[in-house]
Amino acid sequence: MQLYKKFEPNVKETTIDWRVYKLVQSGVLSRIGRGKFTLGQGKNYVPPISSRLKKIYGKLHKQFPCLQICVWHTSLLNEFMQHQPGRFYTLAEAEKDAMENVFYFLKEHKHNVLLNPSAEALSRYGSGEKETTIVKPLVSEAPMQKVNDVQTLTLEKMLADIFCDVTIFASQQGNEMQTIFREAYNRYTIHESRMLRYADRRGKKELFDQYLSKVSKFHRRRRY
């Protein structure tokens, strides 16, 4: 709106709304949040789903059909990282009251599984295993998507999670996190309003917004 008023000070807001609508419809602009747009057609992030992840989700969904569950594998971060970590985890996030049930169910099915581990427990029990599954609490209203009948994360959730959880994502902190954010913004459309709402649910909105502002010169695309 400010861009239009710069060249046409007397333009009506309804006229601006209509012009923006037409630009979005034609692919010149993409909406990334309420009142926020970026140039060009957006590209949404759709994570690949491995057969193992699909199998785990299928078992959990069959056992707990009414439970909100989100599964993903931390190797998805490799696409955005410069240095590859030495170990990866399968994350199974479930409603807090059902976490223990999910934990024991996976344990009965011979998974090496940890229940919301501390940094010490993760180092002691997760470092020597080839495949470790971590059961975590699923934050309410977390941004998720269905891919190949598997409920998994969105890119907005991934970015907010690595910022908020320094225990599981210890390998993605510091300069590596800046690289991840830069590559994610360069490759895909990021819905910042959705991401900030989720960070707010995690109690980190202010710090997360400050971080986005701090690293904006590296990765944030121009907005209107």
Side-chain angles (χ1 to χ4, degrees):
M1 185 177 294
Q2 292 178 350
L3 181 66
Y4 272 115
K5 285 188 175 295
K6 181 179 179 180
F7 296 100
E8 298 180 65
N10 298 320
V11 66
K12 295 180 179 179
E13 289 190 12
T14 53
T15 301
I16 294 175
D17 290 341
W18 175 250
R19 290 177 180 175
V20 170
Y21 170 78
K22 296 297 288 184
L23 289 171
V24 171
Q25 293 300 306
S26 62
V28 176
L29 294 179
S30 294
R31 190 183 303 275
I32 61 172
R34 182 176 296 177
K36 299 178 182 179
F37 305 86
T38 186
L39 282 172
Q41 288 187 322
K43 181 181 179 182
N44 291 325
Y45 175 72
V46 180
I49 302 297
S50 68
S51 58
R52 182 176 184 274
L53 200 66
K54 189 176 180 69
K55 186 176 181 180
I56 290 174
Y57 180 79
K59 287 180 179 179
L60 289 173
H61 185 62
K62 183 177 181 180
Q63 181 69 18
F64 309 103
C66 298
L67 194 63
Q68 279 274 55
I69 297 172
C70 177
V71 298
W72 65 287
H73 197 268
T74 58
S75 62
L76 293 177
L77 289 161
N78 288 1
E79 177 182 351
F80 310 107
M81 295 181 68
Q82 181 177 4
H83 303 100
Q84 305 302 311
R87 56 182 175 176
F88 304 99
Y89 309 111
T90 296
L91 301 182
E93 301 177 57
E95 296 167 39
K96 192 172 183 179
D97 293 342
M99 280 173 50
E100 287 195 11
N101 292 335
V102 171
F103 169 75
Y104 287 115
F105 175 78
L106 290 173
K107 203 167 184 65
E108 288 174 2
H109 284 75
K110 310 301 181 183
H111 289 269
N112 179 55
V113 57
L114 301 175
L115 178 60
N116 201 23
S118 63
E120 181 181 356
L122 189 58
S123 176
R124 179 176 297 180
Y125 302 111
S127 60
E129 297 292 333
K130 184 177 180 181
E131 284 289 349
T132 298
T133 299
I134 296 175
V135 177
K136 292 181 56 192
L138 179 64
V139 177
S140 61
E141 300 180 27
M144 298 180 288
Q145 60 181 320
K146 270 284 185 74
V147 180
N148 295 337
D149 296 322
V150 173
Q151 184 147 273
T152 188
L153 83 175
T154 61
L155 188 52
E156 291 82 6
K157 183 179 186 306
M158 178 191 288
L159 295 177
D161 280 347
I162 64 174
F163 177 85
C164 295
D165 191 340
V166 298
T167 298
I168 292 177
F169 303 105
S171 299
Q172 287 80 29
Q173 301 303 304
N175 291 335
E176 196 66 65
M177 185 155 64
Q178 287 189 10
T179 299
I180 292 170
F181 273 72
R182 182 182 65 244
E183 292 301 316
Y185 269 84
N186 286 340
R187 298 181 189 192
Y188 300 101
T189 298
I190 309 291
H191 297 271
E192 291 188 353
S193 297
R194 181 190 304 170
M195 188 162 61
L196 285 168
R197 282 197 303 272
Y198 176 59
D200 190 27
R201 302 292 296 180
R202 298 206 59 165
K204 296 286 184 71
K205 180 180 180 179
E206 185 175 346
L207 290 174
F208 189 55
D209 197 25
Q210 289 174 4
Y211 179 77
L212 290 179
S213 298
K214 177 182 176 182
V215 300
S216 62
K217 61 182 178 181
F218 297 114
H219 59 68
R220 245 171 171 170
R221 299 167 72 181
R222 192 175 182 184
R223 297 178 300 178
Y224 297 88

